[in-house]
Amino acid sequence: MPSQKEETTELSDEQLRILRDHGTERAGTSPLNDEKREGCYFCAGCGEAVFSSEAKYDSGSGWPSFFQALEKAVDLSEDTRFGMYRVEVHCACCRGHLGHLFPDGPRPTGQRYCINGLALNFVPSDSPEK
Ligand SMILES: [Zn+2]
């Protein structure tokens, strides 16, 4: 039998809207905004690690924000929807839409990955599920 990744994640309609249809959750609604524990953030669509808590910071934007993604974990593309030019952040593995990248982040990168909390699953370092 070929090994197959078990489909354990049940995605809500809202999560599907974000990941597949470039949706955006309402600002300030994600419990991950206040998440300050050490750990890893995984793509809700495929379970690949995409951000580390080490790169998370409080941007005050209302969305979980990171100044850096894990290496090769995300891909960027141009997004010109709604007549705006933005840089879109996708999961490199499943191509799911995670959020947008803005050039107004803190040091050392100066970048702000503005990510939908619903597109992420957080697993704290001290979790037995690690
Ligand atoms: Zn993914």
Side-chain angles (χ1 to χ4, degrees):
M1 287 271 286
S3 71
Q4 207 168 24
K5 208 166 168 183
E6 217 173 310
E7 195 73 41
T8 48
T9 2
E10 289 276 321
L11 295 175
S12 68
D13 288 350
E14 185 70 0
Q15 285 182 304
L16 288 172
R17 193 176 69 79
I18 291 167
L19 288 162
R20 309 264 160 82
D21 201 25
H22 304 84
T24 301
E25 72 196 8
R26 265 195 312 129
T29 56
S30 175
L32 293 181
N33 278 321
D34 299 321
E35 182 57 70
K36 294 193 168 58
R37 287 174 290 171
E38 272 181 41
C40 195
Y41 292 83
F42 297 86
C43 169
C46 68
E48 285 294 317
V50 282
F51 293 98
S52 160
S53 61
E54 286 170 27
K56 189 173 191 293
Y57 74 103
D58 189 358
S59 68
S61 68
W63 290 279
S65 302
F66 304 84
F67 58 77
Q68 190 169 36
L70 292 175
E71 205 176 335
K72 299 198 173 88
V74 302
D75 280 336
L76 304 175
S77 66
E78 292 182 3
D79 176 8
T80 51
R81 285 155 180 258
F82 311 117
M84 288 184 281
Y85 175 82
R86 294 185 295 177
V87 177
E88 183 179 343
V89 182
H90 306 266
C91 171
C93 180
C94 71
R95 315 295 304 163
H97 172 83
L98 302 176
H100 287 93
L101 178 64
F102 299 95
D104 58 5
R107 293 175 192 218
T109 61
Q111 298 191 311
R112 171 166 61 99
Y113 288 83
C114 185
I115 305 299
N116 291 287
L118 284 171
L120 299 172
N121 284 321
F122 175 67
V123 178
S125 312
D126 54 11
S127 159
E129 290 172 45
K130 190 167 77 173

